[in-house]
Each structure stands twice: as C-alpha cells, then as structure tokens.
Amino acid sequence: MNEAQRLIAEARNVAGKSYSPYSKFRVGAVVIAADGTEYSGCNVENAAYGASICAEANAITTAAAHGVREIDTVAVTCLDGEGCTPCGNCRQLMREFGVNRVIMTDESGAPVEYPLDKLLPMSFGPDDLQSSRSVDQ
Ligand code: THU
C-alpha cells in the first residue's frame, strides 16, 4: 500500500464517523501538516443545513487548533457515491494553509492526485492582503 492509498484508507475510516443524517453522504479527510503530523475529520451536518461542516474543513480546522499553520497534503474520500471532489469553500480553506497536494478518489476508489493550484487557479490568498497574517496568528 503506497502513501496515497494509506491516506485514503484512513479517510474512509474517519468517514465512518460522519454525522450526515440529512444528505447521508459520508465524507472523511486527512491532512498532513508540514511537520508530518496527521489530522483527520468527517463531515458534520446540522438541522440548519448551512451550519454543516465539510470533512476537509473539520480536518483543517482541527489541525489549526493544534497549532498547525502549514499543511502539505489533504486526502478526501466518501463512502456513498462515486468519488468526491472538495467544494470551493474547502479549496479556499486549503489555500490559506499552503496546501500543495490534494488526493481524492476516482469512481473505482483509486487515489488520484492534483496540485491545489490546478483545483483553485488564480487564487486569492494571504499574500494578497497588505497585512499578511503572521504565522503566530
Ligand atoms: N461534503 C464534504 O464533507 N466534503 C466534500 O468534499 C463534498 C461535500 C459534505 C457536505 C455535506 O455534509 C455532504 O457532503 C453533502 O454535500
């Protein structure tokens, strides 16, 4: 099993914890921080649908809560449906923490990799603000 397959297997595992009673679409994500530490998350829905949280957002914000400010890789997969690609909001969340590599799955469940700049071209990020964020904030 290569690294991408291992990450997708872990994403499938955390997708099993998904709280998705409305969509019944279970998603899991794993992020690898720049220091190699891994964090995972699943989607967590809400009766007020707009308050729902994607799996990638859960994993990224969990990493941030542990002090992570640089993320190298995000892997995402779902248990109910033929592959899933990150929503626009999650691509922007990835942009904030410098994600390079996004791993998702094709219809057969095999890992496929894309650089974030291919999924979010001409993006707006921290460097585009006059007062760019400090790594301490
Ligand atoms: N979802 C994710 O968690 N990540 C994605 O990449 C696509 C969509 C969730 C949001 C919602 O809970 C459910 O999947 C259906 O959209």
Side-chain angles (χ1 to χ4, degrees), residues 21-131:
Y22 306 107
S23 73
K24 304 194 187 318
F25 190 77
R26 295 169 293 172
V27 187
V30 178
V31 308
I32 308 179
D35 70 357
T37 313
E38 296 181 9
Y39 301 89
S40 60
C42 59
N43 57 329
V44 179
E45 298 185 345
N46 194 283
Y49 297 167
S52 299
I53 300 165
C54 285
E56 302 92 317
N58 190 346
I60 290 167
T61 55
T62 297
H66 284 81
V68 169
R69 295 294 181 268
E70 296 291 336
I71 295 174
D72 181 67
T73 297
V74 175
V76 59
T77 194
C78 57
L79 301 182
D80 315 291
E82 295 182 348
C84 65
T85 67
C87 76
N89 195 54
C90 287
R91 294 176 195 206
Q92 185 65 32
L93 286 177
M94 293 178 200
R95 175 70 175 84
E96 186 70 19
F97 296 105
V99 169
N100 296 305
R101 179 172 66 140
V102 181
I103 302 170
M104 46 191 124
T105 46
D106 66 16
E107 317 77 55
S108 72
V112 284
E113 294 190 21
Y114 294 92
L116 182 61
D117 58 11
K118 192 165 180 189
L119 300 177
L120 193 69
M122 299 176 68
S123 64
F124 183 85
D127 296 345
D128 295 310
L129 290 178
Q130 238 172 0
S131 54

Side-chain angles (χ1 to χ4, degrees), residues 8-31:
I8 292 299
E10 178 53 28
R12 285 185 64 83
N13 195 37
V14 67
K17 302 281 198 305
S18 165
Y19 176 72
S20 43
Y22 306 107
S23 73
K24 304 194 187 318
F25 190 77
R26 295 169 293 172
V27 187
V30 178
V31 308

